[in-house]
Amino acid sequence: MRGFTLIETVIYLALLSMLMTGGILTAYELMQGSTRLSVHTTVQDEGNFVQRKLAWALSGADEISMPASDSLSVTRYDGNTVSFRRSGSAIEMREDAFGGSYLPLTTANVRIMTLAFVTDEATPSLLTVSFSVAS
């Protein structure tokens, strides 16, 4: 007699199915991890972009005013006024030199949970900016 018995065939099929299941689960986990990493990177990049825009506006500031706790207006050394505000789940920026309409700094990929501008009355030149970003 040559060939495999029924028991041997069933055992080989069971082993092959376990290997295939493990491979499919591993591939699925890799794709999920890649998606999570992509979302995390997007949130981090947009948060860093907002920080750089705020630093740029404040680096040449002559005058700073806060009409509300979640809005900031900066008059720069060249007379251009740059304003920031929270609108829904986005941070928006307006430059008076470029038409004066608010444009979003963040995309729909992230939500701005909080935005606060705070100055200390003891040291009025100190401005603290805090915001939280989520996907």
Side-chain angles (χ1 to χ4, degrees):
M1 285 179 53
R2 300 185 88 176
F4 296 109
T5 65
L6 182 59
I7 297 293
E8 290 174 332
T9 305
V10 169
I11 290 172
Y12 291 141
L13 287 174
L15 288 173
L16 181 63
S17 65
M18 285 193 299
L19 288 173
M20 292 297 291
T21 302
I24 290 171
L25 289 175
T26 301
Y28 178 75
E29 288 297 321
L30 286 171
M31 289 189 303
Q32 288 294 91
S34 174
T35 302
R36 283 191 300 268
L37 181 63
S38 176
V39 168
H40 178 73
T41 302
T42 300
V43 169
Q44 190 173 18
D45 286 346
E46 290 202 25
N48 289 338
F49 179 73
V50 170
Q51 283 180 324
R52 287 191 308 271
K53 277 296 190 182
L54 286 165
W56 165 80
L58 293 171
S59 66
D62 274 349
E63 183 180 325
I64 298 173
S65 65
M66 292 182 302
S69 65
D70 64 350
S71 63
L72 175 73
S73 182
V74 177
T75 304
R76 293 180 44 91
Y77 64 91
D78 58 358
N80 183 24
T81 301
V82 180
S83 301
F84 297 91
R85 72 176 182 186
R86 179 177 174 211
S87 176
S89 63
I91 294 180
E92 297 179 333
M93 183 180 102
R94 175 181 73 192
E95 282 189 77
D96 289 342
F98 295 107
S101 62
Y102 278 97
L103 298 173
L105 287 179
T106 56
T107 64
N109 296 328
V110 300
R111 294 184 326 264
I112 301 299
M113 305 303 286
T114 61
L115 175 65
F117 300 102
V118 179
T119 59
D120 185 8
E121 292 182 15
T123 54
S125 62
L126 177 66
L127 174 70
T128 303
V129 180
S130 63
F131 61 95
S132 61
V133 182
S135 59

